[in-house]
Amino acid sequence: MDKEIITGGKKIFYRVYGNGKPVLLVHGFGETGDVWKNQVEFLKNKFQLIVPDLPGSGQSEMIDDMSMEGMAEVLKIILDTESSKASPFRGGLVGLIGHSMGGYIALAFVEKYEGLLSSFGLFHSSAFADTEEKKATRRKGIEFIKEHGAFEFLKTATPNLFSPRSKDEMPGLIGEFVESLNNFSPESLVSYYESMIKRPDRTAILKKTKMPVLFILGEFDNAIPLQDGLKQCHLPEQATINILHRSGHMGMMEETDKCNRLLEEFLSVP
Ligand code: MLT
C-alpha cells in the first residue's frame, strides 16, 4: 500500500506490504524504494515491509536537513506513524536493512534509536567514513551533476555498479533500471554527495552493538570494494557475513534469489 506523510511541510512517500515482523528496507543513492521490488515479492508473506523513498528520491521531497542523521529522523517518523496504527511496534522488534547510502543512514539510526531494532544489515555498505580519495571523486561528481544534470550523471555512473558478468547477462534489466532513474533533481544528488562527504566514521556502532549485524558484500563492487567492506565485518559481536561472487554493488538485482534467502534467514531470527 502506498502512503504519504508530511514532515516539516515536505512530502515523504513510502510503501507498506505484508504482515509480520516490521522490516525497513532503505535504498541507496540514485535509487528509489523500487530497487527492492524483488525482495518485496519474496519477503512480504513473512514480514511487514516498510519501504520509503528517501527525501529527494522518487516521490519524496527534499527536506531541510539532508544529512544522514536528518534522513534517519525521517525513518523514525515513518516507524512512529506505522507503529501508532493497529498494532504498535514493541521496542527491539524492527529489522533495518540499508543499501549503500541507505546503510550509512541505518547506522545513524542505530546510533540514536538502537532500542527499537532487533537487528540491522549493511547491504553493500560500510561504517567507515569516506577516504580523501573518495571525497575527491564525489566532488568531481558534484561538478559533473551541476554541469550535465542528474540523469546524465546516473546514466554514466550506474552501469558501473554492476559486475562485468551482470553487464553481459542482463543488459536489458540494467538498461531498464538506468532509464527509470530519470526523475532526480541535481539538487538532491548533490546534497546526498555533500552529506556522504561529511558523514562520520561509525565503526564504534559496530563495535558496541549487541544486535546481530548482516553484511552483504559484492566481489565486483566498485563503490564498496570487497577488501574495504571486509575490514568492518569482525567488529560486531554477532555478524553474518556474505559475499556475492557474481555481484557488483547491486546484489538485490544481480543475485536476487540468494539475497532473498539471506534476508529471509537473517530477519527471521527473533
Ligand atoms: C550508493 O549506492 O548509495 C552509493 O554508491 C554510496 C556511495 O557512493 O558511497
Side-chain angles (χ1 to χ4, degrees):
M1 185 196 288
D2 292 350
K3 301 208 176 181
E4 270 178 34
I5 46 171
I6 305 290
T7 175
K10 304 292 162 51
K11 181 182 98 171
I12 300 295
F13 173 85
Y14 63 101
R15 312 148 187 83
V16 181
Y17 309 93
N19 289 302
K21 166 179 164 166
V23 173
L24 264 166
L25 297 176
V26 185
H27 67 80
F29 172 89
E31 298 168 358
T32 71
D34 286 337
V35 79
W36 298 110
K37 65 175 186 239
N38 295 326
Q39 285 63 49
V40 165
E41 275 315 303
F42 184 80
L43 298 170
K44 71 179 179 196
N45 295 327
K46 205 156 176 188
F47 305 102
Q48 180 185 3
L49 301 169
I50 304 168
V51 189
D53 283 350
L54 287 169
S57 294
Q59 298 182 59
S60 293
E61 292 178 314
M62 287 176 75
I63 54 174
D64 293 339
D65 179 2
M66 290 288 286
S67 65
M68 300 300 117
E69 297 78 12
M71 290 194 276
E73 290 302 330
V74 169
L75 300 184
K76 173 70 164 61
I77 294 167
I78 292 174
L79 276 186
D80 287 347
T81 307
E82 288 307 307
S83 176
S84 61
K85 302 269 166 67
S87 55
F89 298 160
R90 284 176 288 112
L93 187 73
V94 179
L96 171 59
I97 305 288
H99 178 231
S100 201
M101 183 178 79
Y104 312 153
I105 296 167
L107 285 162
F109 185 95
V110 175
E111 186 166 68
K112 206 156 162 201
Y113 302 114
E114 178 161 19
L116 291 175
L117 300 178
S118 60
S119 61
F120 68 99
L122 299 182
F123 197 116
H124 301 307
S125 191
S126 166
F128 297 115
D130 276 357
T131 59
E132 287 309 313
E133 194 188 340
K134 183 95 187 190
K135 287 181 188 173
T137 308
R138 290 202 201 282
R139 289 191 187 105
K140 280 196 194 134
I142 289 173
E143 290 315 309
F144 186 100
I145 295 163
K146 286 183 175 165
E147 203 176 321
H148 302 285
F151 192 36
E152 277 311 308
F153 179 75
L154 293 173
K155 275 200 282 195
T156 312
T158 305
N160 296 324
L161 299 177
F162 293 83
S163 70
R165 180 178 179 143
S166 299
K167 284 191 197 173
D168 272 358
E169 288 182 358
M170 46 170 80
L173 200 82
I174 296 174
E176 221 173 87
F177 176 62
V178 172
E179 285 307 314
S180 77
L181 307 176
N182 59 8
N183 215 8
F184 283 89
S185 70
E187 292 75 21
S188 65
L189 294 191
V190 167
S191 70
Y192 294 145
Y193 264 12
E194 285 172 345
S195 302
M196 286 194 270
I197 288 173
K198 286 193 206 126
R199 79 186 194 284
D201 176 288
R202 286 202 161 93
T203 48
I205 304 284
L206 295 183
K207 286 184 198 154
K208 200 176 78 181
T209 188
K210 302 278 180 257
M211 284 190 282
V213 183
L214 174 70
F215 295 97
I216 294 185
L217 297 162
E219 189 164 330
F220 302 95
D221 191 338
N222 295 318
I224 308 289
L226 179 60
Q227 292 312 323
D228 297 342
L230 280 172
K231 288 185 188 138
Q232 59 186 335
C233 295
H234 68 287
L235 297 174
E237 218 169 272
Q238 296 183 65
T240 304
I241 304 154
N242 293 282
I243 298 169
L244 305 176
H245 293 292
R246 297 173 174 202
S247 294
H249 190 61
M250 303 298 296
M252 70 283 268
M253 293 169 70
E254 300 180 86
E255 285 179 73
T256 299
D257 293 345
K258 183 165 179 186
C259 288
N260 288 349
R261 282 196 307 274
L262 292 173
L263 288 172
E264 181 184 28
E265 205 177 306
F266 177 76
L267 291 165
S268 296
V269 177

